[in-house]
């Protein structure tokens, strides 16, 4: 185990879940990441990441919101858990800390 | 709305973990619908399929949130490969394993089918739990009692009125057989019964045609099975509503019936079997005496309300009986009980005159069969465990390598269990195959009607049997798997896994196998011996070459003429008739004897009305006095012949000349005492019997004694004479010895099954020992080589190898003897006349077992004792 450290893609997924709040399920999460990063997002990878994050306890899920076009099947709505929030904040603070250490001259005053 | 490709969708459902399926499938469908809109149906379908395949990943296959070990395809195929290799490497042991398991499974499955059939009797009625049969126990002052399921006709309706808990009733009057005519067709139909209009309300027999609610309402209604109807009419439709005539010798007594329905043949597992049902109201209307309560001739069935307790209802019977009959001490001689419908088939062994309960069987025998099945299964399973354990010594290296490569103990256990399951599956497939071939033979040999049908009609049964087989697989694999996987890695790799040699399990299993075999040998032998004893014991009268013919009233009128005509032939040695045939339950009748000291003794006894020559024809010998004479036949005098049991029962010293009164019209004198003869099967002891000669009262059965050299001619002659005198009633005969044979049918079935099981058990046990001996001796090859080099002789080596097995057989013998003795004695207690259980039998069985065991291990023992030590020691 890598502790509470998360990978870059996992971080994106967690952020997408946080942004979408009550409407966070696999497809909306995938398109959210696509919108934000303009990357080609592979659906199977997103799904796998979600399941993995849930197994790690960083996400929680519930079933609900069946629609007709889903053939009457439920969606799995994800919500970020307390330890998920902690992991995201930790990743952010680590980065911020490192940003602070970068000499300003390198990037100019962007 | 468009649908994604079916195949891909099914594939997803098949592989995907159920926990994930719901939302993942929904997601994919949603994406599909979006794509249809944007990129067209074809592309959407294609991408859906690709996505489904792309999702075949470890995490979608396995169970989420469960522990992390997994059945991967690779591991599974490796297990299969290794299992196959092992079987191929040691084909002998693989065969012994598969063969002994499949033989054991096949025989247990056959027994299971039989037991299931027996236990399922009458359970097809939806409310069988609330249906009861009225039993009636009559007890004489002397304490002789008789239990019957027959009652007088008023009991059904009157008890229904009296007890609110009885929500419905139906009566079933078994009328034997009848001759019917419709148009040109006249046939004798067996199994005719008269029933109440409520018959179909209480019992769930099915109708092919007609209205079950009303079919029996009107008097002169008749229902028949399709097979019966087609004897008279070209089609079932043509039969409905037609009139059919029931014949009688006196045309005035003939009845016309209207066919109001066609019934399905009663299921095989129904204790009631009938071809014709007639409405009972037909008779109730005509016969004034029909409502007399003291007669007993029909079965009564009650439907109780679901909440009622039969015991509480029974408790109210005595008080009601006094009120109803007006007789104060009526409860001293008469008692009524409720028998659950589901117990009628198996719990009616002590019910006499149970003519409607066609094929009743003994629950004890059913249980005995079940125990036999378990025994055989245990022997087969023990073989499996023993051989697997012993064989494992050859697999230490494999286990070691697997473990050093990181297999957890759990994985090893799973591997062994998987291998076992593979063998169990092969064995059970083989077992089903064996049974498919075997069951028709068994049905034929044993007069059974076993079939696999329940498996198709009751899916739960398949689950039960499959579950039992899986359980067996788990049981036999668990122990070897644990032993094999529990060794320390270092020991395993050095090849010194020693636990199996010290374990007590193998010897214990052998002891159990041989103990069970011994029980079976002795059991089977005793059953066979008792059976042949019953067949061969002189019953006190002639049973062979006695042709018995069922008589109607016309045959009674013509009896004298037929007798005279038959006796002119040299093929006929004698002719007589009686109210009932020997070997049937003789009806009870009351008699009052006056002892020489003037004391009057009331008795209730079996009573038989016979034709004058009865004793002579049957060769029944007299202890005192003589049989009947011409004056008895004409009715001038009334004589009674009693048997020795009756004399003992009355405790009189000089019975001859005693007045014997049956009722006002029957005041007779005892003229003779016969030696006791077994007028019933040898399950029963000889009961008191009174015989009288009243031709006017009518006979039911004519006996024609044939000359042994001309049986076929005799039958033909009898039939010709019958046809000449009796106009419509057909000539139906049985041989008396065949009839007696049928009384021992259940015992004969038991004997055959026991014999088969015994040989099977012994064969399986020896097969196991054979395999085990091979392994044990091969393990000691080096030891034997060294011993021989150091000068041990052939016989010393043999003794060494034999000693360990011989000891086990002796222990088995000692352990099994007392149990077997108890069981066999208990079984024999069910017979009034029985064989002795001799110590010689035990000694013989023990010897047989010992020799069989020694032969089983002889091949390997002798071979290893004769091996040249050079061969066995060369490798080191």
């Amino acid at each position: 185990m890598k502790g509470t450290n998360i990978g870059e893609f996992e971080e994106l997924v967690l952020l997408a879940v946080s942004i979408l709040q009550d409407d966070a399920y696999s497809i909306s999460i995938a398109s959210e990441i696509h919108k934000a990063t303009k990357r080609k997002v592979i659906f199977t990878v997103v799904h796998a990441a979600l399941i993995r994050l849930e197994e790690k306890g960083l996400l929680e899920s519930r079933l609900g919101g069946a629609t007709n076009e889903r053939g009457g099947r439920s969606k799995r709505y994800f919500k970020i858990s307390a330890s998920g929030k902690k992991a995201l904040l930790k990743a952010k603070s680590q980065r911020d800390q490192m940003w602070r250490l970068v000499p300003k001259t390198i990037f100019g005053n962007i | 709305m468009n649908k994604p490709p079916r195949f891909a969708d099914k594939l997803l459902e098949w592989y995907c973990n159920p926990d994930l399926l719901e939302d993942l499938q929904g997601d994919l469908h949603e994406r599909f619908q979006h794509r249809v809109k944007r990129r067209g149906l074809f592309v959407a379908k294609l991408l859906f399929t690709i996505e489904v395949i792309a999702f075949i990943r470890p995490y979608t296959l396995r169970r989420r949130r469960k522990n992390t070990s997994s059945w991967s395809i690779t591991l599974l195929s490796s297990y299969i490969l290794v299992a196959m290799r092992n079987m191929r490497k040691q084909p002998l042991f693989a065969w012994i394993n598969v063969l002994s398991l499949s033989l054991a499974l096949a025989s247990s499955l056959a027994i299971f089918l039989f037991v299931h059939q027996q236990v399922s009797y009458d359970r097809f009625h939806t409310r069988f739990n609330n249906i009861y049969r009225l039993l009636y126990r009559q007890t004489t002052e002397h304490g002789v009692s008789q239990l019957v399921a027959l009652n007088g006709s008023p009991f059904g309706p009157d008890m229904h009125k009296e007890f609110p808990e009885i929500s419905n009733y139906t009566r079933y009057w078994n009328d034997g057989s009848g001759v019917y005519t419709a148009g040109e067709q006249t046939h004798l139909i067996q199994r005719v019964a008269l029933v109440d209009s409520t018959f179909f309300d209480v019992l769930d027999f099915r109708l092919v045609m007609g209205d079950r609610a009303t079919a029996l309402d009107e008097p002169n209604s008749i229902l028949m099975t399709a097979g019966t109807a087609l004897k008279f009419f070209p089609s079932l439709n043509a039969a409905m509503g037609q009139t059919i005539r029931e014949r009688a010798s006196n045309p005035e007594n003939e009845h016309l019936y209207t066919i109001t329905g066609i019934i399905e043949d009663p299921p095989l597992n129904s204790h009631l079997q009938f071809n014709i049902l007639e409405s009972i109201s037909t008779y109730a209307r005509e016969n004034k005496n029909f409502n007399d309560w003291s007669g007993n001739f029909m079965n009564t069935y009650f439907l109780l309300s679901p909440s009622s307790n039969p015991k509480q209802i029974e408790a109210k019977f005595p008080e009601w009986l006094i009120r109803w009959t007006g007789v104060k001490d009526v409860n001293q001689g008469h008692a009524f009980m409720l028998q659950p419908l589901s117990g009628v088939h198996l719990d009616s062994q002590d019910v006499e005159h149970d003519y409607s309960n066609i094929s009743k069987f003994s629950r004890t025998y059913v249980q005995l069969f079940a125990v036999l099945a378990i025994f055989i299964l245990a022997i087969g399973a023990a073989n499996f465990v023993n051989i697997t354990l012993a064989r494992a010594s050859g697999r230490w290296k494999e286990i070691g390598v697997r473990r050093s490569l990181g297999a957890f103990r759990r994985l090893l256990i799973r591997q062994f269990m998987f291998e076992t399951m593979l063998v169990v599956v092969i064995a059970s497939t083989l077992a089903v195959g064996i049974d498919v071939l075997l069951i028709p033979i068994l049905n034929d040999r044993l007069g059974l009607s076993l079939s696999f049908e329940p498996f198709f009609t009751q899916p739960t049964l398949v689950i039960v049997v499959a579950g039992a087989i899986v359980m067996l697989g788990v049981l036999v694999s668990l122990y070897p798997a644990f032993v094999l996987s529990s060794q320390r890695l270092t020991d395993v790799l050095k090849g010194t896994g020693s636990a199996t040699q010290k374990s007590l399990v193998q010897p214990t299993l052998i002891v159990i196998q041989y103990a069970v075999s011994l029980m079976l040998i002795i059991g089977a032998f005793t059953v066979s011996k008792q059976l042949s004893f019953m067949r061969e014991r002189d019953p006190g009268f002639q049973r062979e070459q006695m042709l018995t013919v069922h008589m109607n009233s016309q045959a009674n009128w013509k009896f004298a003429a037929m007798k005279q005509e038959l006796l002119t032939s040299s093929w006929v040695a004698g002719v007589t008739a009686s109210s009932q045939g020997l070997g049937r339950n003789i009806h009870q009748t009351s008699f009052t004897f006056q002892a020489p000291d003037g004391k009057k003794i009331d008795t209730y006894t079996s009573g038989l009305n016979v034709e004058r020559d009865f004793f002579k024809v049957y060769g029944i010998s007299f202890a005192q006095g003589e049989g009947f004479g011409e004056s008895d036949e004409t009715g001038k005098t009334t004589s009674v012949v009693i048997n020795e049991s009756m004399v003992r029962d009355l405790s009189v010293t000089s019975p001859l000349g005693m007045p014997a009164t049956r009722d006002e019209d029957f005041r007779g004198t005892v003229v003779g005492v016969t030696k006791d003869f077994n007028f019933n099967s040898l399950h029963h002891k000889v009961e008191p019997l009174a015989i009288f000669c009243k031709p006017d009262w009518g006979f039911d059965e004519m006996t024609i004694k044939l000359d042994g050299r001309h049986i076929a001619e005799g039958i033909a002659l009898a039939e010709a004479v019958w046809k000449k005198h009796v106009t419509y009633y057909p000539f139906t005969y049985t041989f008396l010895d065949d009839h007696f044979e049928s009384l021992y049918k259940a015992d004969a079935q038991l004997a055959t099954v026991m014999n088969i099981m015994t040989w099977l058990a012994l064969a399986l046990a020896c097969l196991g020992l054979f395999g085990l001996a091979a392994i044990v001796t091969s393990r000691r090859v080096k030891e034997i080589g060294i011993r021989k080099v150091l000068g041990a002789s052939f016989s010393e080596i043999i003794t060494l190898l034999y000693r360990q097995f011989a000891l086990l057989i002796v222990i088995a013998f000692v352990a099994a003897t007392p149990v077997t003795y108890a069981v066999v004695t208990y079984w024999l207690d069910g017979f009034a006349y029985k064989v002795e259980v001799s110590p010689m039998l035990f000694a013989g069985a023990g010897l047989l077992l010992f020799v069989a065991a020694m032969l089983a291990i002889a091949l390997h023992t002798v071979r290893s004792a004769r091996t040249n030590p050079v061969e066995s020691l060369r490798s080191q």
Side-chain angles (χ1 to χ4, degrees):
Chain A
M1 272 293 199
K2 291 184 275 178
T4 48
N5 283 340
I6 46 175
E8 190 249 357
F9 191 72
E10 288 177 331
E11 192 178 351
L12 286 178
V13 171
L14 286 177
L15 282 167
V17 171
S18 315
I19 293 167
L20 290 164
Q21 294 190 25
D22 286 346
D23 192 37
Y25 74 104
S26 51
I27 295 179
S28 66
I29 293 166
S31 61
E32 186 66 34
I33 297 171
H34 175 70
K35 256 196 295 182
T37 61
K38 304 287 174 234
R39 293 204 301 214
K40 192 174 160 51
V41 178
I42 297 167
F43 181 64
T44 53
V45 176
V46 176
H47 189 271
L50 284 168
I51 301 300
R52 195 170 60 238
L53 285 169
E54 193 189 358
E55 274 178 9
K56 283 185 180 177
L58 304 184
L59 285 176
E60 288 162 358
S61 76
R62 64 179 171 88
L63 290 176
T67 64
N68 223 5
E69 61 180 2
R70 297 173 62 85
R73 292 179 184 84
S74 302
K75 298 168 182 171
R76 185 179 295 276
Y77 284 116
F78 289 94
K79 207 183 94 190
I80 191 156
S81 71
S83 49
K85 283 177 193 162
K86 216 184 277 172
L88 260 188
L89 288 173
K90 192 176 162 196
K92 185 175 182 298
S93 67
Q94 278 170 351
R95 258 167 235 212
D96 289 349
Q97 215 175 345
M98 289 179 78
W99 269 115
R100 276 198 292 275
L101 297 177
V102 175
K104 293 212 164 130
T105 49
I106 294 186
F107 288 95
N109 267 343
I110 328 165
Chain B
M1 203 155 79
N2 291 302
K3 289 233 163 101
R6 248 181 88 77
F7 166 75
D9 214 23
K10 289 275 163 215
L11 176 70
L12 178 71
E13 282 170 22
W14 176 70
Y15 75 71
C16 186
N17 175 348
D19 287 349
L20 292 177
L21 181 64
E22 167 83 11
D23 55 297
L24 180 56
Q25 201 175 13
D27 288 347
L28 293 182
H29 279 227
E30 188 178 331
R31 285 167 68 80
F32 171 77
Q33 300 300 349
H34 283 258
R35 282 187 181 131
V36 172
K37 276 179 217 144
R38 282 186 289 131
R39 306 173 68 175
L41 184 61
F42 176 76
V43 178
K45 279 190 170 178
L46 187 70
L47 287 176
F48 182 86
T49 312
I50 292 175
E51 217 151 52
V52 165
I53 294 169
F55 261 110
I56 303 180
R57 288 155 161 250
Y59 84 95
T60 52
L61 294 178
R62 71 173 194 234
R63 289 186 172 272
R64 210 155 56 98
R65 293 192 200 92
K66 291 265 166 74
N67 56 39
T68 46
S69 66
S70 66
W71 279 107
S72 78
I73 304 280
T74 345
L75 209 52
L76 212 63
S77 54
S78 147
Y79 288 168
I80 294 181
L81 193 67
V82 172
M84 289 299 176
R85 271 184 201 152
N86 264 314
M87 285 187 203
R88 222 172 299 146
K89 203 163 80 187
Q90 296 177 302
L92 174 69
F93 302 121
W95 270 111
I96 293 178
N97 265 349
V98 171
L99 201 66
S100 57
L101 258 193
S102 57
L103 282 177
L105 277 173
S107 50
S108 330
L109 185 63
I111 292 184
F112 174 80
L113 285 176
F114 176 76
V115 170
H116 176 263
Q117 184 194 45
Q118 293 298 315
V119 174
S120 73
Y121 259 73
D122 297 313
R123 284 173 188 263
F124 60 90
H125 302 291
T126 41
R127 286 164 300 179
F128 74 87
N129 270 322
N130 298 320
I131 301 173
Y132 290 80
R133 186 169 81 150
L134 188 63
L135 291 183
Y136 169 40
R137 183 183 290 284
Q138 259 175 328
T139 313
T140 67
E141 285 174 29
H142 293 81
V144 180
S145 84
Q146 188 182 37
L147 183 67
V148 295
L150 301 172
N151 316 103
S153 66
F155 283 89
D158 286 1
M159 287 171 115
H160 172 47
K161 258 181 252 157
E162 172 72 23
F163 300 104
E165 300 94 326
I166 298 177
S167 54
N168 210 342
Y169 75 94
T170 186
R171 293 168 294 177
Y172 183 93
W173 182 6
N174 184 336
D175 200 26
S177 55
V179 175
Y180 294 83
T181 302
E184 298 287 288
Q185 298 288 333
T186 297
H187 296 284
L188 171 75
I189 306 298
Q190 305 284 352
R191 298 179 181 172
V192 178
L194 289 86
V195 296
D196 276 301
S197 60
T198 50
F199 186 70
F200 293 119
D201 300 334
V202 176
L203 301 166
D204 292 353
F205 293 106
R206 284 198 228 152
L207 262 67
V208 182
M209 281 177 180
D211 180 4
R212 58 187 298 126
T214 57
L216 286 158
D217 284 358
E218 295 297 314
N220 296 68
S221 301
I222 193 169
L223 293 99
M224 47 184 67
T225 57
T228 311
L230 291 175
K231 285 184 181 169
F232 297 96
F233 303 99
S235 74
L236 296 182
N237 277 319
M240 283 294 285
Q242 291 298 309
T243 306
I244 192 164
R245 186 153 56 103
E246 182 174 14
R247 306 291 293 270
S249 311
N250 184 346
E252 281 175 21
N253 296 334
E254 295 200 337
H255 282 93
L256 285 177
Y257 289 96
T258 309
I259 300 174
T260 57
I262 304 293
I263 30 183
E264 262 182 33
D265 284 334
L268 281 175
N269 57 357
S270 164
H271 82 273
L272 293 175
Q273 293 289 335
F274 43 79
N275 289 315
I276 282 187
L277 294 175
E278 295 167 358
S279 53
I280 217 166
S281 44
T282 319
Y283 281 82
R285 215 175 35 164
E286 288 171 11
N287 294 5
K288 290 205 184 73
N289 293 336
F290 188 75
N291 285 324
D292 181 9
W293 75 273
S294 61
N296 50 11
F297 53 95
M298 50 172 65
N299 303 113
T300 309
Y301 298 88
F302 289 127
L303 175 66
L304 305 191
S305 57
S307 57
S308 58
N309 179 347
K311 287 284 158 235
Q312 281 169 7
I313 304 173
E314 271 179 7
K316 294 184 204 162
F317 286 165
E319 181 269 331
W320 167 77
L321 204 58
I322 295 173
R323 248 191 305 135
W324 190 63
T325 59
V327 182
K328 265 190 191 150
D329 56 356
V330 65
N331 288 305
Q332 282 174 12
H334 310 272
F336 292 87
M337 281 82 62
L338 293 171
Q339 180 184 39
L341 185 66
S342 54
V344 169
H345 176 66
L346 290 179
D347 296 327
S348 296
Q349 288 297 304
D350 51 347
V351 177
E352 293 183 62
H353 305 290
D354 208 0
Y355 314 113
S356 308
N357 197 354
I358 298 252
S359 52
K360 68 178 172 185
F361 202 70
S362 149
R363 190 177 290 278
T364 320
Y365 279 15
V366 171
Q367 286 161 349
L368 212 57
F369 281 146
V371 170
L372 280 182
I374 292 170
F375 276 3
I376 288 289
L377 218 47
I379 290 181
N383 269 0
F384 191 93
V385 173
N386 267 349
I387 296 211
T388 310
L389 271 183
R391 230 177 69 177
S393 53
R395 299 186 61 178
W396 289 125
K397 287 214 178 78
E398 183 200 332
I399 296 167
V401 170
R402 272 181 192 275
R403 286 191 62 177
S404 17
L405 289 180
F408 297 116
R409 185 168 175 208
R410 204 169 46 214
L411 279 178
L412 278 178
I413 291 179
R414 193 191 287 173
Q415 183 199 347
F416 280 112
M417 292 183 79
F418 178 81
E419 269 183 37
T420 312
M421 275 323 214
L422 202 65
V423 174
V424 171
V425 167
I426 296 173
S428 18
T429 317
L430 213 62
V432 171
I434 294 174
D435 271 348
V436 168
L437 298 175
L438 192 73
I439 281 180
I441 302 172
L442 278 180
N443 281 346
D444 188 44
R445 285 282 309 272
L446 294 173
L448 298 173
S449 51
L450 297 182
S451 79
F452 282 106
E453 200 197 303
F455 284 118
F456 300 115
T457 53
Q458 291 163 270
T460 45
L461 214 57
V462 180
I463 298 171
V464 169
V465 170
I469 289 175
V470 171
M471 276 282 294
L472 178 80
V474 171
L475 272 177
V476 297
S477 59
L478 218 50
Y479 181 75
F482 271 95
V483 169
L484 295 182
S485 60
S486 67
Q487 302 298 309
R488 278 168 49 205
L489 185 57
T490 45
D491 289 346
V492 170
L493 281 178
K494 272 194 290 178
T496 54
S498 57
T500 51
Q501 283 156 20
K502 282 176 197 158
S503 158
L504 267 177
V505 171
Q506 275 172 296
T508 313
L509 287 177
I510 295 177
V511 167
I512 292 175
Q513 283 186 323
Y514 276 87
V516 168
S517 303
L518 184 84
M519 289 179 79
L520 287 175
I521 292 174
I522 292 172
F525 194 81
T526 313
V527 173
S528 303
K529 207 169 137 194
Q530 173 70 15
L531 195 65
S532 59
F533 168 78
M534 289 194 291
R535 281 175 179 150
E536 281 152 24
R537 188 186 138 101
D538 179 14
F541 59 88
Q542 184 173 342
R543 269 193 309 209
E544 293 75 32
Q545 293 127 39
M546 302 297 252
L547 191 69
T548 63
V549 188
H550 191 257
M551 297 165 84
N552 69 337
S553 48
Q554 193 183 24
N556 268 292
W557 305 337
K558 299 291 180 68
F559 175 74
M562 285 197 283
K563 179 178 176 181
Q564 199 176 16
E565 199 169 331
L566 283 166
L567 284 177
T568 55
S569 163
S570 62
W571 299 332
V572 175
V575 177
T576 186
S578 52
S579 60
Q580 283 180 281
L582 295 177
R584 309 190 187 266
N585 273 303
I586 306 293
H587 291 321
Q588 302 288 105
T589 178
S590 58
F591 259 104
T592 305
F593 290 94
Q594 192 172 358
D597 58 7
K599 196 176 136 219
K600 283 201 171 156
I601 310 166
D602 290 323
T603 61
Y604 207 73
T605 166
S606 301
L608 193 62
N609 177 21
V610 303
E611 193 262 348
R612 183 180 151 188
D613 286 343
F614 188 79
F615 302 109
K616 201 174 79 195
V617 172
Y618 272 98
I620 294 167
S621 45
F622 277 80
Q624 296 177 54
E626 51 176 20
F628 304 115
E630 203 186 327
S631 62
D632 295 312
E633 196 163 39
T634 55
K636 269 185 206 144
T637 56
T638 303
S639 301
V640 175
V641 169
I642 57 178
N643 66 355
E644 286 173 313
S645 290
M646 175 71 103
V647 175
R648 276 195 298 277
D649 201 43
L650 298 173
S651 47
V652 290
T653 42
S654 49
L656 293 188
M658 276 199 307
T661 313
R662 194 170 170 273
D663 54 40
E664 296 296 307
D665 306 324
F666 189 112
R667 295 175 181 283
T669 317
V670 174
V671 296
V673 177
T674 67
K675 291 205 168 129
D676 274 346
F677 59 96
N678 289 96
F679 54 88
N680 212 328
S681 76
L682 291 183
H683 295 100
H684 310 277
K685 66 181 203 308
V686 179
E687 280 157 16
L689 176 68
I691 309 169
F692 40 89
C693 176
K694 288 281 183 193
D696 308 351
W697 294 5
F699 300 123
D700 252 15
E701 196 175 90
M702 177 160 89
T703 305
I704 303 166
K705 182 153 110 182
L706 298 176
D707 175 31
R709 285 158 301 176
H710 300 282
I711 298 284
E713 296 94 326
I715 296 173
L717 173 76
E719 184 162 10
V721 171
W722 179 277
K723 288 236 164 95
K724 203 166 111 193
H725 291 276
V726 180
T727 47
Y728 72 89
Y729 200 85
F731 178 75
T732 50
Y733 68 88
T734 4
F735 276 99
L736 191 62
D737 43 2
D738 288 344
H739 171 65
F740 270 91
E741 197 63 23
S742 73
L743 298 182
Y744 303 128
K745 189 180 157 195
D747 302 301
Q749 286 174 342
L750 181 68
T752 315
V753 172
M754 286 282 282
N755 279 329
I756 297 172
M757 287 296 162
T758 304
W759 291 115
L760 200 59
L762 193 59
L764 288 182
C766 288
L767 201 60
L769 204 55
F770 176 75
L772 205 59
I775 297 162
V776 171
T777 47
S778 74
R779 213 188 271 154
R780 297 176 76 173
V781 159
K782 292 213 174 78
E783 179 198 336
I784 294 164
I786 293 169
R787 282 178 190 272
K788 285 189 88 165
V789 170
L790 294 179
S793 71
F794 175 75
S795 60
E796 274 164 349
I797 301 278
I798 291 282
T799 322
L800 174 80
L801 290 174
Y802 261 122
R803 201 167 46 203
Q804 53 180 340
F805 290 111
L807 183 68
L808 294 180
I809 307 299
V810 172
I811 295 174
F813 180 77
V814 173
T817 301
V819 186
T820 315
Y821 183 79
V823 172
V824 163
T825 322
Y826 171 76
W827 181 74
L828 283 175
D829 279 346
F831 295 87
Y833 302 91
K834 55 199 171 202
V835 292
E836 295 288 315
V837 186
S838 75
M840 282 308 290
L841 177 59
F842 282 82
L847 196 68
L848 173 66
L849 210 62
F850 197 80
V851 170
M854 293 302 115
L855 282 177
I857 57 181
L859 177 70
H860 297 294
T861 312
V862 172
R863 189 196 280 161
S864 57
R866 290 180 62 171
T867 316
N868 188 340
V870 173
E871 312 245 329
S872 53
L873 296 176
R874 190 161 48 186
S875 61
Q876 283 184 350

